[in-house]
Amino acid sequence: MTVFTHAQGIIKTLKEVTEEGIGMLNSEKTAETLAAINRRTTLRPKVGIILGSGLGDIADSIENSVAIVYDEIPYWPRTTAIGHAGRLVIGTLEGAPVVAMQGRVHYYEGYTMEEITFPVRIFGEMGIRSIIATNAAGGVNLDYAPGDLVAIRDHINFMGTNPLIGANNNKWGQRFPDMTYAYDPDYIEKAAQVARDNNIRFHNGVYIAFSGPSYETPAEILMSRALGADVVGMSTVPEVIVANHMGMRVLAISCVSNYAAGVRPVRLLHNEVLEGMSRAVGSLAAVIKGFLRVIAGDVLGA
Ligand code: HPA
């Protein structure tokens, strides 16, 4: 009876129960995951780095590193995409204590948004307040060429879902997080300065995320450009939303691996996209390292 007459009250109660349940479940999971990572290293990273398709090699420059394969980390989602190594590398890079993901999982692999963003939750619980996310992306902006780097200054979420859907865990963040400065303007400027110092082609632009795994149609790319997008991809947005939910500062960089569909009269082939990535790896590594050198003092003091 009360279900109908006090519907709102009942819904609230159910929501609270769910919140408690989810909070407990997640904190149990994260505690186990954190313990497993902390058993392998005494280093406490301050910056989390997510390395996308074809970009994993950057983690090889991490010094005094410990690498943990994802299989050995409880609840860590396993990568299935080609071009992903599937290891967590912890150590120092340019004086900054970092944890790098060599490979991430995508929505198109069939993982839930919660699974995709679980590593970012772990980063947050590790005390990380700064994240560098990287990805391969198609160039929607006609001024962009394969090999260019793009600091993401904003995004359009076209994945059709959001990683924060469901009960909110208040320990992690608030129900309606602001996304106005989702991509830290100061971080973008610092990265741009490093790029200028190194003569690297570096833009800042808007990233539009589709679920994939099919590449976009030429019509979808026309639409994306009309909406104000500069680059297109199938990742990053979920992680950035969750990082913002936890109050982290985000630098996200796209490596333009190909002209987006229809920009040139050719088909998009995954191995050619990966080849395009290899052109951007060197400049991406230079920007990440230069950026870490600049923020190392700040993050160590934090
Ligand atoms: N579209 C979507 N994702 C991508 C692309 C693209 O053109 N290139 C690399 N990742």
Side-chain angles (χ1 to χ4, degrees):
M1 283 300 279
T2 40
V3 172
F4 298 103
T5 49
H6 300 291
Q8 267 192 312
I10 301 287
I11 286 165
K12 189 160 177 282
T13 309
L14 278 176
K15 191 175 152 288
E16 279 165 2
V17 168
T18 317
E19 239 162 55
E20 252 169 48
I22 286 195
M24 259 172 51
L25 187 66
N26 278 329
S27 56
E28 271 169 21
K29 275 200 222 167
T30 53
E32 198 180 329
T33 306
L34 269 176
I37 295 168
N38 288 339
R39 270 197 296 276
R40 301 284 293 270
T41 175
T42 53
L43 192 101
R44 295 294 169 259
K46 294 288 185 185
V47 182
I49 307 174
I50 303 171
L51 298 167
S53 307
L55 302 168
D57 288 357
I58 292 168
D60 296 340
S61 327
I62 297 175
E63 292 164 352
N64 304 314
S65 65
V66 171
I68 315 171
V69 295
Y70 291 164
D71 283 339
E72 294 170 4
I73 312 174
Y75 308 113
W76 203 274
R78 316 275 186 271
T79 33
T80 63
I82 304 163
H84 289 263
R87 300 190 313 169
L88 201 59
V89 184
I90 302 170
T92 42
L93 193 53
E94 301 297 325
V98 301
V99 51
M101 286 171 64
Q102 273 184 322
R104 62 145 69 79
V105 297
H106 302 81
Y107 192 47
Y108 63 71
E109 291 173 77
Y111 289 101
T112 63
M113 281 283 157
E114 190 189 341
E115 288 166 329
I116 292 164
T117 54
F118 182 74
V120 180
R121 296 295 185 196
I122 295 295
F123 285 178
E125 299 243 336
M126 283 174 150
I128 284 170
R129 312 266 34 104
S130 303
I131 293 246
I132 304 173
T134 65
N135 60 47
V140 174
N141 186 317
L142 299 173
D143 294 333
Y144 295 1
D148 287 2
L149 299 184
V150 185
I152 302 177
R153 74 174 137 79
D154 206 344
H155 74 224
I156 299 170
N157 179 8
F158 239 80
M159 297 182 107
T161 183
N162 187 298
L164 304 182
I165 288 174
N168 187 56
N169 181 344
N170 295 324
K171 280 186 288 184
W172 280 343
Q174 51 182 302
R175 171 79 291 189
F176 301 107
D178 173 55
M179 294 292 287
T180 311
Y181 303 105
Y183 299 86
D184 192 282
D186 175 54
Y187 276 6
I188 294 174
E189 183 40 42
K190 285 185 162 78
Q193 186 59 49
V194 173
R196 281 193 291 272
D197 293 345
N198 289 277
N199 286 319
I200 290 165
R201 274 177 64 97
F202 196 83
H203 314 276
N204 75 62
V206 174
Y207 178 91
I208 186 165
F210 288 89
S211 71
S214 54
Y215 286 117
E216 302 69 39
T217 62
E220 285 163 350
I221 295 303
L222 281 176
M223 174 194 75
S224 302
R225 193 177 302 120
L227 293 179
D230 299 292
V231 276
V232 59
M234 306 172 190
S235 66
T236 309
V237 162
E239 291 104 316
V240 169
I241 291 172
V242 166
N244 274 274
H245 185 235
M246 297 187 102
M248 297 178 198
R249 298 176 71 179
V250 174
L251 173 71
I253 303 177
S254 286
C255 300
V256 178
S257 51
N258 55 282
Y259 294 102
V263 172
R264 296 282 155 102
V266 291
R267 288 177 179 276
L268 295 191
L269 300 169
H270 183 62
N271 53 356
E272 289 179 12
V273 168
L274 286 178
E275 256 171 57
M277 286 308 293
S278 58
R279 279 191 248 175
V281 175
S283 35
L284 181 68
V287 170
I288 289 180
K289 286 182 191 174
F291 174 76
L292 285 172
R293 218 174 298 138
V294 173
I295 67 159
D298 284 355
V299 295
L300 282 169

